[in-house]
Amino acid sequence: MSNVEIVLVVSTTTCCPKPTPTPVSANAARINKRSTGVDIPWSYEELSSSKETRAFPFVLEELSAIRPIIKRWFGFTSVYLDEKLLCSLRDSPRQPNSNGMWLYTTSEHLESLSKEFSDLPKRQLWRSRSGSNAWVVLASRLESFEEYAFKACELILRGDQRIGRITRGKSK
């Protein structure tokens, strides 16, 4: 069993000075035992070799700067920032047509996001039949998948409000 460094995030009010950030080692892990039961490693080498996070580790490495929470469910590796579900990654041999990077958005932002990925086929833009949920599916079988995945990471890192949704049961 490897040593794991646990990072404690401290919330302060305006009356208290901001704490000095503690440097985090390359192999620090964010742990969410309740949802995953596994330690999610943060170094690229560990991500590449881990069975639990084998789906496109370069995406998680790109997004590590925002320190997201990583959860695994239904064969997806999902990336959250606070209560906002940003994207999911999937790479399964059983259902290859579902593989890739799924960006979570709303119906109102779907068209403008599709312009960011100009060569993306329309069948990769999904809307829920009821409600305002929508998805941009960057399929891994597309020739431009890696380029699109890096572009999506860039949008997320810039804080693009079109990407991400508050998860069910959470209020805005």
Side-chain angles (χ1 to χ4, degrees), residues 94-114:
R94 287 187 222 152
Q95 296 177 326
N97 290 337
S98 299
N99 291 343
M101 182 177 188
W102 294 48
L103 301 176
Y104 295 89
T105 189
T106 60
S107 295
E108 87 179 87
H109 297 306
L110 190 59
E111 188 177 331
S112 67
L113 270 176
S114 72

Side-chain angles (χ1 to χ4, degrees), residues 15-169:
C15 69
C16 303
K18 282 189 171 182
T20 306
T22 307
V24 180
S25 66
N27 66 350
R30 179 154 283 202
I31 302 171
N32 192 333
K33 292 275 188 195
R34 190 181 63 149
S35 65
T36 64
V38 296
D39 300 344
I40 304 296
W42 275 114
S43 75
Y44 184 78
E45 293 76 21
E46 288 174 301
L47 284 168
S48 300
S49 64
S50 171
K51 278 186 177 180
E52 294 300 321
T53 57
R54 66 176 170 233
F56 316 111
F58 70 93
V59 172
L60 296 178
E61 182 69 19
E62 283 292 306
L63 297 176
S64 66
I66 60 171
R67 304 186 59 153
I69 296 171
I70 309 299
K71 295 183 182 181
R72 295 204 26 95
W73 47 274
F74 301 118
F76 286 88
T77 300
S78 296
V79 178
Y80 291 79
L81 188 58
D82 299 321
E83 297 171 344
K84 199 172 193 182
L85 175 58
L86 300 173
C87 66
S88 291
L89 307 168
R90 180 180 173 83
D91 191 17
S92 171
R94 287 187 222 152
Q95 296 177 326
N97 290 337
S98 299
N99 291 343
M101 182 177 188
W102 294 48
L103 301 176
Y104 295 89
T105 189
T106 60
S107 295
E108 87 179 87
H109 297 306
L110 190 59
E111 188 177 331
S112 67
L113 270 176
S114 72
K115 292 175 184 171
E116 298 284 346
F117 308 100
S118 57
D119 294 332
L120 195 64
K122 293 292 181 201
R123 68 180 174 272
Q124 302 304 125
L125 307 172
W126 297 6
R127 294 179 200 271
S128 65
R129 294 176 201 242
S130 60
S132 65
N133 293 338
W135 300 261
V136 175
V137 181
L138 306 175
S140 61
R141 69 179 178 274
L142 296 174
E143 194 173 303
S144 53
F145 169 68
E146 285 188 17
E147 175 188 338
Y148 282 168
F150 279 116
K151 171 104 176 178
C153 289
E154 180 184 316
L155 293 172
I156 290 169
L157 291 171
R158 283 194 332 227
D160 192 314
Q161 294 301 303
R162 298 174 298 172
I163 297 177
R165 294 196 300 250
I166 301 297
T167 56
R168 279 189 206 151

